[in-house]
Amino acid sequence: MNEPQRQQPPDESPPPGMPEPARALPKAPRPMKVSAFVTLLVAVFGVVLPAFTLGFELTLRWCTSELFDPVPTVVHMLLVAGVPAANLLALVATSKRTPRLLRNTVIINGMALGVSLVYALLFLPFTPVALIGVLFLGAGLMPLSPLLSFCLALVMRSRLKRVLPSGAPMAASWIGMGVALMAFLIVEAPVSGTRMALHVAVNGSPESQRTALQWLRRLGSEETLLTACYFAPRRATLVDFLLSWDDSVSVEEARTVYYRVTGKTFNSVPKPERVHLEGGFRSNDDDQGGREVGGRVPGLSLASSELKGSVDGDAALAYLEWTMSFETTAEGQSEARTELILPPGAVVSRVTLYIDGQEREAAFASTAKAREAYEAVVRTRRDPLLVTYKGKDRVQVQCFPVVKGPPMKIKLGITAPLLPKDDGRNATLLLPSLAERNFHIADDFRHAVRVESLRRLSTQAGGSVEQRKDGVSEWLGALGDEALHPPQAMLTVQRKGAPDTAWTEDLLEPTGYVVRQRLLRTRVEMPERVILVLDGSVGMKDALPEIASALGSFPQETELAVLASLDGVEELLPPGKVDAAVLQSLAERVRELPTAGGQDANAVLARAWSMVAPQGRTAVVWIHGPHPMSLELEPRSTPGDEGTSVWWRAPPLPAVLLDVMVGRGPNQMAVGLADRTPLQAVPRTAPLEQDLKTLFTRWGSEAPEFYRERLPLAELKLPPEGWKTSSHLARLWAAGEIARLAESEQEPTRARALELATHHQLVSAVSGAVVLERQSQYDAAGLKPVDPGSVPSVPEPETWMLLGVACLLLIAFRLRRAA
């Protein structure tokens, strides 16, 4: 029996040449409740939770302050934000089922898989703790957000696969994942590579350290290094996670590496904006109340600066008062800190803080006692000012609190000797300047300068020098911060009559003693051997041609050796006598000397000290830029370097270390060496080439120098031409005597130095100055502020006329006695 034929559906294909009409995609049958539940899971844990987690972190920075920064760049933020956006797009696409939208969504879903996988791995160590928190405490979902997002992105990939048209490729999702991972690699390579190299530069072997420094100089991220100078680096990338270090890098170590890489001190540039604070921002100032200048404080700046002074050319001394005020635009309280470079041989003799517009004078005490009082008041958020010794001709100033509103104002008095010039017929005054600071100075900021003298002044620093009707020579200027640094800011004063002797009453026993200053011409010893040590830091590049030119003035037939610091020690010239041909060849080598980053002087100075001549006097001339690295106090343990850090403990033979600094900044090596070696700073009064030529030609010739001594009045016969000057001469004598006594390790001798410092009201190697807000705070610290009537001051312009009249009367009186 024949079966009935089944009817075929009519052929609905279009005629040839006609486009095929769009067909609805078949819907896969599934239970409605399961589909709705999955959609709800994706919406809550794949869209809302990751979006909320990102917003929470960007607002409060909880993970940044406690663990690591998960979104260190804008690219990271966009990639993370793309995860909830991709999951939301997948929900929409699987609902509408438009073919083109589905194909694009597959690629974006792959990118979400890649991003969430990276962050799931990053948070993997914290996942067990988060699970316990969810199960037992009902909290901890945010650390699980990356893992949940990854799982739900996989769910959406499965759903996309089911609803895609038959034969549509799913490999596009892997393309999206590859794009995401490539984006991570591109944005993180400089950061991760810099952090890896930073770790090796601190914890690796000597050879590995040198290789890491070279890599950082070529390819490293300066911003990453600078950020590490403010807080210890924390894991923020997948590479960091996979290569978690057992040895961390401290802030101090990162600051050293930053200098070695860039040749700059970390606080010479603004604080990076990426440095976050606690609870959304890290502490504005982790160095507050400390012994170092530390990093820049956002919002803190120098509001005004006025430097005024009077110069006594005949006594070859000057008194300057530097008034500065600080302001901040940030909330809270900030501490202003700076290191000052004083004129050669100068000393701080007055410290004043303005409280409610009134001047409050400091108490002078031992450095430890003054600092203890300052730190105690800082903890209670009061108004203190502290000035302490930071090495020869350097002091550190710190004041607190600087808040929004009226600026905080301070005043420092500086007693400074002048340097003889032209066989003593003229004298030179170098102005103080800022070596380091934690506050901002605007590019157009100017220091107001006014210096007066009864003798004629001259300067090339700018401004105007006028001769007033009262006979006073006055210099008025407005100097930028760079121009304030010597040798740019320098005054020359005539010494009319050029008296060889000046004197004043002693401040300890004014009726029984006087302090006398004499101008003597002494012969400068010619060294048997000179060891020239050159800094190979990048900041010395422009100085090398000047050094090469100055070598033409080096005394021939004198033994010379030349060393350079270039990630080690390079010998440019072995010890031996030199002639014109040798000096010319050496000059060419110096001109072509490469420079790189910032160099550590410990090894090269150790080598120089080991080359001191067996007989005669050796002069080690160290020419260098700013050097923030300290003297190594412990021997190195690396092979071949044993003993290089203890070279200064026992000077082998008569030798002197001459410190020639180029530019401005910290000089921590000199601070460490000052009490351990015969260190002498070479004053910078001219371009480097000229200063070096002067140094070389002074050897073996006579040079004028001022010598001060305290003598009993009964045994002293002052010459008629002797010049009676101010009590600043007694302060300069005391400063020199304190420096001599402070070198002793015997407690009675150092106690005598402290007694001299407190009586003369000086900041020295054994004493500091602190200003407190209330008398009760002085009493609690066992301190007594100085009598306001005993502090020095700069005469106002109208006072000079009275002084001029007094001088004329004194001259007339002496002429009458002589007649």
Side-chain angles (χ1 to χ4, degrees):
M1 187 174 178
N2 295 333
E3 296 183 8
Q5 295 184 353
R6 297 180 180 177
Q7 293 185 352
Q8 300 293 330
D11 185 8
E12 298 180 359
S13 59
M18 296 295 292
E20 182 177 354
R23 299 179 180 178
L25 294 173
K27 294 186 179 181
R30 67 174 60 189
M32 287 297 296
K33 291 184 179 180
V34 174
S35 178
F37 179 71
V38 172
T39 301
L40 180 62
L41 281 179
V42 174
V44 174
F45 296 105
V47 178
V48 176
L49 180 61
F52 174 80
T53 302
L54 176 62
F56 182 85
E57 175 61 23
L58 292 176
T59 304
L60 300 181
R61 288 292 181 180
W62 178 85
C63 186
T64 299
S65 61
E66 299 298 331
L67 301 174
F68 60 89
D69 190 354
V71 281
T73 68
V74 175
V75 176
H76 286 82
M77 184 186 68
L78 294 176
L79 288 172
V80 173
V83 173
N87 287 335
L88 179 61
L89 180 63
L91 286 175
V92 174
T94 53
S95 174
K96 292 188 174 181
R97 303 191 181 189
T98 304
R100 185 175 180 180
L101 178 61
L102 286 170
R103 285 191 292 269
N104 293 333
T105 303
V106 169
I107 299 177
I108 297 174
N109 173 257
M111 296 179 65
L113 284 170
V115 173
S116 56
L117 176 62
V118 169
Y119 279 94
L121 290 174
L122 276 174
F123 281 89
L124 189 61
F126 315 107
T127 299
V129 178
L131 287 172
I132 294 173
V134 171
L135 294 175
F136 297 97
L137 302 177
L141 278 177
M142 283 190 290
L144 294 175
S145 177
L147 181 60
L148 291 173
S149 297
F150 176 72
C151 294
L152 293 173
L154 282 176
V155 171
M156 294 312 300
R157 183 180 184 276
S158 176
R159 179 179 287 189
L160 286 168
K161 185 176 181 180
R162 285 196 298 268
V163 300
L164 272 173
S166 178
M170 282 298 293
S173 63
W174 300 112
I175 296 176
M177 182 178 289
V179 170
L181 294 177
M182 185 62 68
F184 267 113
L185 182 62
I186 293 174
V187 74
E188 301 235 354
V191 177
S192 298
T194 299
R195 285 178 175 159
M196 292 169 62
L198 172 61
H199 178 269
V200 175
V202 171
N203 300 298
S205 64
E207 186 60 36
S208 299
Q209 289 178 353
R210 284 191 287 271
T211 302
L213 287 174
Q214 293 169 1
W215 187 92
L216 286 170
R217 288 166 186 162
R218 292 194 303 266
L219 302 172
S221 167
E222 184 175 340
E223 183 180 1
T224 301
L225 285 176
L226 187 58
T227 302
C229 295
Y230 286 89
F231 63 92
R234 300 180 178 184
R235 295 186 290 107
T237 68
L238 181 58
V239 176
D240 288 336
F241 172 78
L242 296 175
L243 300 175
S244 297
W245 311 113
D246 294 329
D247 300 322
S248 62
V249 176
S250 68
V251 168
E252 290 75 17
E253 291 169 333
R255 292 173 179 180
T256 298
V257 173
Y258 182 82
Y259 162 71
R260 296 298 307 276
V261 171
T262 66
K264 301 179 291 187
T265 56
F266 82 101
N267 54 10
S268 65
V269 295
K271 192 172 185 178
E273 296 181 359
R274 291 296 310 166
V275 177
H276 300 293
L277 317 174
E278 291 182 1
F281 297 93
R282 295 184 70 85
S283 173
N284 253 339
D285 188 6
D286 293 333
D287 300 292
Q288 183 172 294
R291 300 173 186 269
E292 304 297 332
V293 173
R296 293 284 183 91
V297 176
L300 183 63
S301 62
L302 183 62
S304 66
S305 171
E306 180 186 15
L307 186 62
K308 63 181 182 178
S310 60
V311 178
D312 185 348
D314 293 331
L317 58 81
Y319 176 68
L320 306 170
E321 286 186 345
W322 197 348
T323 304
M324 291 179 279
S325 61
F326 306 95
E327 62 183 4
T328 182
T329 57
E331 299 294 337
Q333 300 172 325
S334 301
E335 180 187 45
R337 296 184 300 274
T338 182
E339 181 180 313
L340 300 187
I341 303 177
L342 304 179
V347 62
V348 172
S349 53
R350 183 182 182 184
V351 176
T352 305
L353 174 65
Y354 289 80
I355 299 178
D356 298 329
Q358 300 297 317
E359 295 184 357
R360 302 287 180 89
E361 300 300 330
F364 289 81
S366 68
T367 303
K369 196 170 185 179
R371 176 166 289 282
E372 181 182 354
Y374 177 83
E375 293 175 351
V377 176
V378 166
R379 287 193 294 268
T380 58
R381 298 295 190 263
R382 296 295 181 181
D383 290 344
L385 166 63
L386 178 67
V387 182
T388 52
Y389 181 79
K390 282 290 288 186
K392 186 174 175 57
D393 302 331
R394 290 177 181 246
V395 295
Q396 179 167 313
V397 181
Q398 46 198 125
C399 56
F400 178 90
V402 183
V403 298
K404 271 188 175 182
M408 190 175 191
K409 188 176 179 182
I410 66 172
K411 180 194 293 182
L412 303 178
I414 302 170
T415 300
L418 307 187
L419 303 175
K421 184 181 179 182
D422 304 326
D423 202 30
R425 294 186 301 273
N426 296 290
T428 298
L429 170 66
L430 301 180
L431 297 183
S433 59
L434 305 176
E436 272 191 292
R437 51 187 167 85
N438 74 334
F439 48 83
H440 174 69
I441 297 180
D443 294 337
D444 58 351
F445 184 88
R446 295 294 179 268
H447 300 270
V449 182
R450 176 173 66 84
V451 180
E452 301 171 330
S453 171
L454 290 174
R455 306 302 185 197
R456 184 174 297 276
L457 294 171
S458 62
T459 182
Q460 296 181 351
S464 62
V465 178
E466 299 180 356
Q467 201 72 19
R468 298 206 311 250
K469 294 181 179 180
D470 57 1
V472 172
S473 183
E474 182 180 52
W475 174 42
L476 297 174
L479 305 182
D481 195 53
E482 287 293 332
L484 193 63
H485 184 72
Q488 292 91 332
M490 186 175 65
L491 280 173
T492 299
V493 58
Q494 292 182 353
R495 302 183 65 240
K496 187 175 182 180
D500 289 346
T501 303
W503 64 277
T504 190
E505 291 89 356
D506 179 41
L507 289 177
L508 292 173
E509 300 180 50
T511 59
Y513 287 82
V514 298
V515 174
R516 182 180 67 179
Q517 174 181 272
R518 292 184 296 167
L519 179 65
L520 302 179
R521 291 154 186 85
T522 58
R523 186 174 183 81
V524 181
E525 183 180 355
M526 172 71 75
E528 294 290 333
R529 174 179 291 180
V530 177
I531 304 173
L532 196 61
V533 178
L534 303 181
D535 178 14
S537 299
V538 68
M540 290 289 294
K541 184 176 182 179
D542 294 336
L544 293 177
E546 293 190 75
I547 298 172
S549 299
L551 288 173
S553 300
F554 186 83
Q556 298 186 22
E557 299 304 319
T558 301
E559 284 196 15
L560 175 65
V562 182
L563 303 175
S565 178
L566 289 169
D567 292 335
V569 181
E570 183 173 333
E571 188 175 77
L572 302 183
L573 182 70
K577 293 186 177 182
V578 294
D579 54 23
V582 173
L583 291 174
Q584 183 177 1
S585 174
L586 175 63
E588 291 301 321
R589 290 201 64 183
V590 171
R591 285 191 179 93
E592 298 172 359
L593 189 71
T595 58
Q599 299 297 323
D600 181 3
N602 277 283
V604 72
L605 289 177
R607 174 77 69 84
W609 211 243
S610 69
M611 297 169 64
V612 170
Q615 289 95 21
R617 184 172 182 266
T618 299
V620 178
V621 183
W622 178 35
I623 308 175
H624 64 97
H627 195 278
M629 300 184 65
S630 301
L631 177 69
E632 292 181 354
L633 301 179
E634 297 297 332
R636 294 181 182 176
S637 59
T638 54
D641 281 341
E642 290 86 349
T644 58
S645 61
V646 295
W647 59 272
W648 41 262
R649 289 184 179 174
L653 286 170
V656 62
L657 178 58
L658 301 176
D659 181 14
V660 184
M661 184 166 174
V662 180
R664 65 170 173 171
N667 193 1
Q668 293 299 325
M669 181 67 71
V671 173
L673 289 173
D675 298 331
R676 298 174 170 89
T677 60
L679 177 71
Q680 297 178 12
V682 177
R684 295 299 318 283
T685 61
L688 179 61
E689 178 182 350
Q690 185 59 47
D691 280 341
L692 291 178
K693 288 182 177 179
T694 301
L695 174 65
F696 296 153
T697 55
R698 276 170 58 95
W699 290 331
S701 63
E702 288 191 348
E705 294 288 345
F706 291 109
Y707 292 88
R708 305 172 192 91
E709 54 190 343
R710 179 176 180 262
L711 300 169
L713 184 58
E715 303 175 7
L716 179 66
K717 185 177 180 180
L718 294 170
E721 68 274 10
W723 179 256
K724 172 67 167 64
T725 186
S726 67
S727 58
H728 288 295
L729 183 60
R731 295 185 178 93
L732 290 177
W733 166 83
E737 186 70 5
I738 293 165
R740 183 184 67 83
L741 296 174
E743 294 177 357
S744 173
E745 296 181 358
Q746 299 181 0
E747 190 59 34
T749 305
R750 294 182 65 86
R752 171 61 178 162
L754 178 59
E755 181 183 356
L756 281 175
T758 53
H759 187 89
H760 288 81
Q761 301 170 11
L762 304 178
V763 175
S764 68
V766 295
S767 60
V770 63
V771 184
L772 305 178
E773 185 180 14
R774 300 174 181 174
Q775 184 60 44
S776 59
Q777 295 168 349
Y778 285 109
D779 296 338
L783 299 175
K784 182 180 179 181
V786 301
D787 182 357
S790 67
V791 298
S793 62
V794 176
E796 294 301 321
E798 60 270 14
T799 308
W800 281 109
M801 186 173 292
L802 297 177
L803 292 177
V805 172
C807 290
L808 292 175
L809 291 175
L810 180 61
I811 294 172
F813 176 73
R814 289 188 174 180
L815 291 175
R816 179 175 296 181
R817 287 188 60 184

